[in-house]
Amino acid sequence: TREGLISADQVKAILLFEQGRTGNNWLLFSFMSLGAGIVGIGIISLIAANWSAIPDAVKLGCDLLLLLTIALGIWNQREHEDSLSWELMLTFFALACLASIGLIGQIFHAGGTLDQALLLWAALLFPATTLTHRYFLPYIWTFALLMAGSYRLIMTPIMESSEEERG
């Protein structure tokens, strides 16, 4: 406005436009993710130290309670789908589902492999990846799917031929 290039009305319009925009604050998202990860690792360490003393029913009950709590949190945030808390809760739910698959496999001695768990996780979590408005969860989902699928396609024929040669 000082140089006469834009008018005062244009300055007001630009300021209103910029205030109404929701920016991607990657630094805040990164620190919140890091904090959630650190708290999660602390909780996991505490549980791991006492893992053998915890009954299987308590493990499964706590797992179900955790998943339901996260799902209710996501449900309560449904009006704020563009918020950072929505994205963090979806990501936390996705990781909790992967941990639940591992827990169920451990309790019931399923004996599956990591690629099978990741393929099951990717199939179960596909709807959750469509609910997100950012790219973090879809990137994790895509990476897990590609990693598990490529391992399954590449390593299975190699492992089957080695077993035939041995026997």
Side-chain angles (χ1 to χ4, degrees):
T1 55
R2 246 187 340 215
E3 301 297 324
L5 297 174
I6 58 174
S7 68
D9 291 335
Q10 290 172 326
V11 170
K12 288 179 186 175
I14 290 171
L15 288 174
L16 282 173
F17 173 77
E18 290 296 328
Q19 287 174 352
R21 284 182 55 188
T22 57
N24 291 333
N25 193 343
W26 288 102
L27 185 63
L28 176 63
F29 184 71
S30 300
F31 279 124
M32 288 180 73
S33 299
L34 181 64
I38 290 170
V39 169
I41 288 171
I43 292 170
I44 289 170
S45 298
L46 181 64
I47 293 170
N50 301 303
W51 189 251
S52 59
I54 302 171
D56 291 343
V58 173
K59 292 175 192 175
L60 288 173
C62 289
D63 181 54
L64 180 64
L65 183 65
L66 177 67
L67 287 174
L68 286 173
T69 303
I70 299 168
L72 284 173
I74 292 171
W75 179 259
N76 287 335
Q77 289 286 322
R78 69 187 180 278
E79 292 91 21
H80 309 288
E81 290 183 4
D82 292 329
S83 70
L84 187 58
S85 61
W86 169 265
E87 301 296 330
L88 286 174
M89 292 186 87
L90 279 175
T91 303
F92 189 54
F93 181 75
L95 295 176
C97 285
L98 183 59
S100 297
I101 291 170
L103 176 68
I104 292 168
Q106 184 263 333
I107 288 175
F108 294 107
H109 307 289
T113 59
L114 177 62
D115 61 311
Q116 291 171 336
L118 288 175
L119 287 172
L120 175 62
W121 176 79
L124 293 174
L125 263 290
F126 178 71
T129 60
T130 62
L131 295 175
T132 184
H133 297 286
R134 298 180 196 243
Y135 297 115
F136 185 69
L137 184 57
Y139 284 163
I140 290 174
W141 183 87
T142 303
F143 177 74
L145 183 67
L146 290 174
M147 185 178 77
S150 62
Y151 181 84
R152 176 72 34 199
L153 289 174
I154 294 169
M155 295 305 289
T156 301
I158 292 171
M159 291 173 17
E160 286 175 358
S161 65
S162 344
E163 290 175 7
E164 291 173 3
E165 292 172 2
R166 284 188 227 156

